[in-house]
Amino acid sequence: MESNNDSQAVSKSERKDGWERETIEKLAFAAITEQRRARRWGIFFKMLTFLYLVAIFAAIMFPKWKDDIGMGLDIKGHTAVIDVVGMIAEDKDANAGRIIKGLRQAAKDNSTRGIILNVNSPGGSPVQSDYIFHEIRELKKEYPDLPIISVVGDICASGGYYVASAADKIYVNQASLIGSIGVLMNGFGFVDTLDKLGVERRLLTSGEHKGMLDPFLPVDEEEIQHMQKLLGQVHQQFIDAVKEGRGTRLKETDLIFSGMVWTGKEGVELGLADDFGSVNYVAKQVIGAEKLVNFTPPERLLDKLAGRIGASFGKSLGVFSEKMLIQ
């Protein structure tokens, strides 16, 4: 009898131990399964992140790879195109750094048979325009057999013409607007406005002329004469550049450097341009390489944002309300 009781007690104990062990095993397997599932999801998300980064890298590099592959197969050669479109300024798409980079890449490419500056600009910064002008002149010295030709769209005025005049030739449409060889500085005067509005003007400066051309102060003749002198110097720099680029083709009349603008047809007659033609016409008939490859560097979003933030910050700390432009 005691033996049966002992056997039953052992059986109950074994069942109890078996249940606990089974429960522990299930929990252990569940934990292992969960860990495996977590690892799989971790690997999945890591792969997804990696593919995302690869996609971004490919999107950024694809234009360059496409051009590189195209160059390798480009036996007959191509005409490189550099866009000079819009206002020429450091914080705009048509800035010197971007255009110069494109010019250098195009000139170094063995398949480039000629370069077209696709100009459609009303002007802009004299500094940025001058940088581009001198880069083109330097490239002409380094690659004397490589034609660089400006082709004008709707307008090629002031800073736009400054840049275009560096090329070997300038082609226009008869209805294009070209010229405006001059410099301007504009602004406004609000001398009596604050008094009428009951606003008190508080300007603190260190330096007699630090607040020069302040729009809320009366005009100072000495400051006006000084700024006119500066404008004259920049204007002469512009004139010298045009004379260097155009040479004896330019018919120097009383109005040629006055800031006057002409049609493309008149521009050819005055020697401001050479002939009529579009980008495709010049590539095929003048350069002899019909295939067009655009070498204008795509502007990166971060660079564009940084440039605009920097420009906005610079404006907020600007010395003058006026801005010097060749437009």
Side-chain angles (χ1 to χ4, degrees), residues 57-71 294 298:
F57 178 76
I60 294 172
M61 294 301 296
F62 177 72
K64 184 177 185 305
W65 289 339
K66 183 178 70 173
D67 289 344
D68 290 343
I69 293 172
M71 303 316 156
N294 197 309

Side-chain angles (χ1 to χ4, degrees), residues 45-282:
F45 283 115
K46 287 178 182 177
M47 288 295 296
L48 195 63
T49 303
F50 175 75
L51 291 174
Y52 178 72
L53 293 174
V54 168
I56 293 176
F57 178 76
I60 294 172
M61 294 301 296
F62 177 72
K64 184 177 185 305
W65 289 339
K66 183 178 70 173
D67 289 344
D68 290 343
I69 293 172
M71 303 316 156
L73 301 175
D74 196 2
I75 299 173
K76 294 182 178 179
H78 59 251
T79 296
V81 178
I82 309 294
D83 293 327
V84 185
V85 178
M87 185 70 73
I88 300 172
E90 189 173 8
D91 60 336
K92 302 294 183 182
D93 289 343
N95 61 75
R98 187 173 180 224
I99 293 171
I100 288 172
K101 181 179 179 181
L103 284 166
R104 289 175 179 170
Q105 289 178 342
K108 289 178 182 178
D109 193 287
N110 293 329
S111 297
T112 298
R113 300 294 175 260
I115 298 175
I116 288 178
L117 292 170
N118 178 34
V119 184
N120 195 354
S121 171
S125 162
V127 175
Q128 295 287 303
S129 302
D130 188 66
Y131 284 155
I132 301 169
F133 177 91
H134 282 96
E135 178 63 26
I136 295 171
R137 305 303 292 178
E138 289 299 315
L139 284 176
K140 287 303 304 176
K141 294 177 183 178
E142 189 174 353
Y143 303 91
D145 297 327
L146 183 68
I148 301 178
I149 299 174
S150 294
V151 178
V152 177
D154 297 311
I155 185 169
C156 177
S158 289
Y161 188 73
Y162 197 139
V163 171
S165 65
D168 297 318
K169 290 185 178 181
I170 299 176
Y171 283 76
V172 295
N173 182 277
Q174 292 194 32
S176 298
L177 295 179
I178 190 170
S180 187
I181 303 172
V183 185
L184 67 83
M185 175 176 283
N186 54 27
F188 298 92
F190 302 98
V191 178
D192 300 322
T193 303
L194 297 184
D195 289 337
K196 292 179 181 179
L197 295 175
V199 179
E200 181 184 357
R201 168 69 164 161
R202 296 173 180 174
L203 175 65
L204 302 177
T205 65
S206 177
E208 183 181 353
H209 297 287
K210 191 61 178 177
M212 183 168 55
L213 300 181
D214 187 291
F216 299 103
L217 295 177
V219 173
D220 185 302
E221 287 301 325
E222 183 181 357
E223 293 176 354
I224 291 294
Q225 291 176 10
H226 177 73
M227 294 310 300
Q228 194 63 54
K229 180 181 177 182
L230 294 184
L231 290 172
Q233 291 174 353
V234 177
H235 189 201
Q236 188 58 52
Q237 174 185 325
F238 190 178
I239 293 171
D240 293 342
V242 172
K243 286 183 176 180
E244 178 185 343
R246 299 302 297 164
T248 57
R249 291 171 291 182
L250 194 65
K251 296 178 182 178
E252 296 188 32
T253 66
D254 294 337
L255 294 177
I256 201 74
F257 300 124
S258 68
M260 190 73 76
V261 65
W262 290 273
T263 64
K265 182 179 180 181
E266 292 172 318
V268 172
E269 294 171 356
L270 291 169
L272 291 167
D274 296 283
D275 208 340
F276 307 109
S278 64
V279 169
N280 288 314
Y281 171 84
V282 172

